[in-house]
Amino acid sequence: MRHLLSIDDLERADIERILDRAASFAEVSGREIKKVPTLRGRTVVNLFYEASTRTSSSFELAAKRLSADVVSVRSVGSSVDKGESLKDTVQTLSAYDPAAIVIRSPHVGAAELVARWTTASVVNAGDGKHEHPTQALLDVYTLRQRLGSLDGKSIWIVGDVLHSRVARSNVLAFQRMGARVTVCGPPTLIPRGFESLGCEVAYTLDGLPAADVVYALRMQHERMQEAFVPSLREYAAVYQIDRGRLRPGQLLMHPGPVNRGVELAADVIDSPQATIVAQVEAGVVVRMAVLFELLAGGHAPEVAAAPAPQPAEAAA
Ligand code: ASP
């Protein structure tokens, strides 16, 4: 596999292989020195044209833990601010001969374009409202850890499906792993024809108690040019996941960042049913596994033995 642009690039066996490898990297993350030499001497460029906390920091950490040289470029403060086009920026950064370019852009299809302009492997870290494949992989990883398997599980994705790249990638990935998916939200926030992805569509939370997993989505204000709901208060009254709506035993997921008091009530965000912190933790090992798959795939991970303590440390 050369690029990861969409979950459609992956069969179930590919997802399982990547996530098994991510689990082997979890052992590295537990060490004091969290590094393996796998990508030593190779360069990973992170190119972020849109706001990001979790995705950018975890891709950076993932590449560093694999010992790659990492260059992180954000549109703000770079020559993109001066009007340099995506193509020119990619060609400029390609002069460093990167092994991989990780790209986030507000434009649908940006990662696919970058893949045409460079010889590097390209990872889509979110292209507009289209796809966010590594988010879906880390969510499947988190669920496999909690549930063992997704086969036959019912997953409800609730909220602003229309503007969410997470919704599309996750519907595809959850279904590929054997789950049944229902998307739910106000009709104005569900894209027409979304059922063609194979999921069900609901406009009320009436069926929510039957779900094994409730996956809440953020209201994506930055992509809204008009009002899609009468008010956030009215939206929350009908769709907010709170203690009364989350049944005991259900898992609660959210990709972050959370709008507290809008899609989630404070009492469920910090409850043991929420996997939000586990999802962030999974982000590092899953992205290590994705970089490994693209840049070193086909070989067993070189998980080096933990270094022996230095005499001074041993004496301490
Ligand atoms: N962090 C996710 C994304 O970049 C979800 C969100 O922003 O709501 O799509």
Side-chain angles (χ1 to χ4, degrees):
M1 197 168 80
R2 171 116 185 273
H3 307 296
L4 177 58
L5 306 176
S6 160
I7 285 293
D8 266 333
D9 296 336
L10 303 171
E11 303 292 339
R12 178 172 175 151
D14 299 321
I15 296 177
E16 284 171 346
R17 184 179 62 253
I18 291 170
L19 299 189
D20 288 346
R21 189 162 286 137
S24 77
F25 285 135
E27 187 266 313
V28 175
S29 293
R31 294 181 192 166
E32 196 178 332
I33 302 197
K34 306 178 193 319
K35 257 192 200 294
V36 288
T38 316
L39 298 185
R40 195 162 44 198
R42 313 199 57 195
T43 303
V44 174
V45 170
N46 293 323
L47 184 52
F48 277 69
Y49 281 77
E50 225 189 31
S52 173
T53 302
R54 283 151 282 267
T55 307
S56 61
S57 57
S58 60
F59 262 115
E60 189 165 334
L61 262 183
K64 286 180 172 165
R65 288 187 182 175
L66 292 169
S67 303
D69 295 322
V70 184
V71 180
S72 293
V73 179
R74 294 216 175 224
S75 53
V76 179
S78 73
S79 288
V80 172
D81 261 358
K82 299 179 185 167
E84 190 166 48
S85 72
L86 178 60
K87 188 170 185 179
D88 288 341
T89 305
V90 168
Q91 280 172 349
T92 300
L93 294 168
S94 293
Y96 303 135
D97 192 21
I101 297 180
V102 177
I103 166 92
R104 165 166 293 188
S105 161
H107 302 296
V108 171
E112 209 175 315
L113 282 176
V114 172
R116 288 191 211 156
W117 298 327
T118 177
T119 53
S121 286
V122 175
V123 184
N124 182 4
D127 62 330
K129 56 184 184 178
H130 179 228
E131 277 226 40
H132 194 354
T134 58
Q135 176 74 46
L137 290 175
L138 72 89
D139 289 331
V140 173
Y141 179 89
T142 305
L143 284 178
R144 284 216 311 178
Q145 281 197 314
R146 295 292 172 111
L147 303 173
S149 153
L150 276 67
D151 277 311
K153 295 289 188 295
S154 163
I155 304 178
W156 275 55
I157 299 179
V158 181
D160 178 4
V161 177
L162 182 65
H163 300 101
S164 173
R165 50 192 170 216
V166 174
R168 180 179 302 274
S169 291
N170 283 25
V171 166
L172 295 173
F174 290 159
Q175 291 182 158
R176 207 142 290 177
M177 298 306 290
R180 287 174 289 115
V181 181
T182 302
V183 298
C184 176
T188 48
L189 289 177
I190 307 278
R192 204 166 295 164
F194 210 68
E195 303 87 335
S196 65
L197 293 181
C199 56
E200 291 194 10
V201 172
Y203 300 112
T204 71
L205 294 180
D206 294 350
L208 194 72
D212 298 293
V213 178
V214 180
Y215 194 111
L217 295 172
R218 183 175 67 89
M219 274 291 203
Q220 314 255 312
H221 302 288
E222 73 276 25
R223 296 193 214 292
M224 297 183 188
Q225 267 90 49
E226 51 185 290
F228 285 83
V229 290
S231 72
L232 288 183
R233 244 183 73 212
E234 284 171 76
Y235 172 82
V238 183
Y239 296 101
Q240 183 186 86
I241 308 301
D242 60 12
R243 216 358 83 244
R245 292 187 173 139
L246 191 69
R247 173 180 62 69
Q250 285 179 321
L251 290 178
L252 175 66
M253 307 185 83
H254 192 294
V258 175
N259 287 316
R260 277 182 183 253
V262 181
E263 63 269 5
L264 293 182
D267 56 2
V268 292
I269 297 172
D270 305 313
S271 81
Q273 284 169 260
T275 62
I276 301 170
V277 177
Q279 289 169 264
V280 176
E281 266 177 45
V284 177
V285 289
V286 167
R287 288 172 174 131
M288 285 173 83
V290 166
L291 290 173
F292 182 95
E293 175 77 18
L294 299 181
L295 306 183
H299 312 287
E302 283 180 56
V303 179
Q310 296 304 300
E313 288 172 39

